[in-house]
Amino acid sequence: MSMRASLRIAFLLLLATAILAACGTQASGPGGGGARSGPASGGASGTVRSVSTSSFTMSTSADVQVTVNEASSTRYQKGTTSASASAITAGEPVVVLGTTSGTTITATQVVVQPAGGGSATSSAAGVVPFQRGSPTMSKQDGQIPPSYSQGSGTIVSGTAANKATEAALAAYPGGVVDRVVKLSNGEYEVHNIGVNWPHHIFVNQDFKVAGAN
């Protein structure tokens, strides 16, 4: 093989590597469409099951088991009043907001709900708990943005993500929100895992749930 041919092959290999690296960055980055990998803002609601020094476990109304890691920066509330980590005890209904990776949440905020103020049960909300081997349901509730396509939008965090997550969990408790995506029309798609339905909950610009599928 000539030197020129060898150099050409080496150049093409380097070019292919650069293209693959760029594609991977776009897919996993905050604004990447398509694949969504890595931890992102989300949360869950449920009942505390056990408490340790820096974490606790909870189960949602659809029986999804969630591990919540706490940090020195985690904020606690009991109802609308500021509280401390000691407010987290077994049997308490809570809403957890933070960085979600699968069914593990690193909490930025934990809200202990007042007695009788917990989220509706999964059956009342129409949520279908996960059953191994059961196919994902194909049904729609409410209004879906007409221009929506799965994988579109930009992953968001902060106040907007928290408000959209809280709205989605109040309407469809039972799953775990693992990301919030802002769509081109300004609305939000809240991605829900751990249940057979719904996987996509749509929240408008006023943070009111408009629909799900």
Side-chain angles (χ1 to χ4, degrees), residues 89-176:
T89 58
E92 292 280 12
V94 295
V95 173
V96 178
L97 301 172
T99 302
T100 305
S101 179
T103 56
T104 298
I105 303 172
T106 300
T108 57
Q109 184 175 6
V110 182
V111 180
V112 179
Q113 298 181 318
S119 298
T121 64
S122 59
S123 57
V127 173
V128 179
F130 174 76
Q131 293 182 339
R132 190 173 299 279
S134 298
T136 298
M137 293 188 65
S138 177
K139 75 171 186 173
Q140 179 178 317
D141 184 25
Q143 298 296 315
I144 308 300
S147 60
Y148 171 72
S149 62
Q150 190 169 333
S152 63
T154 302
I155 294 177
V156 295
S157 59
T159 301
N162 288 343
K163 287 184 176 180
T165 297
E166 289 182 287
L169 292 173
Y172 298 97
V176 176

Side-chain angles (χ1 to χ4, degrees), residues 47-61:
T47 303
V48 176
R49 293 305 180 198
S50 64
V51 180
S52 63
T53 304
S54 58
S55 66
F56 63 90
T57 62
M58 58 183 276
S59 60
T60 73
S61 58

Side-chain angles (χ1 to χ4, degrees), residues 59-82:
S59 60
T60 73
S61 58
D63 202 31
V64 180
Q65 307 304 305
V66 180
T67 299
V68 179
N69 294 323
E70 300 164 275
S72 58
S73 58
T74 303
R75 303 187 308 276
Y76 301 90
Q77 285 180 227
K78 192 160 187 176
T80 58
T81 305
S82 295

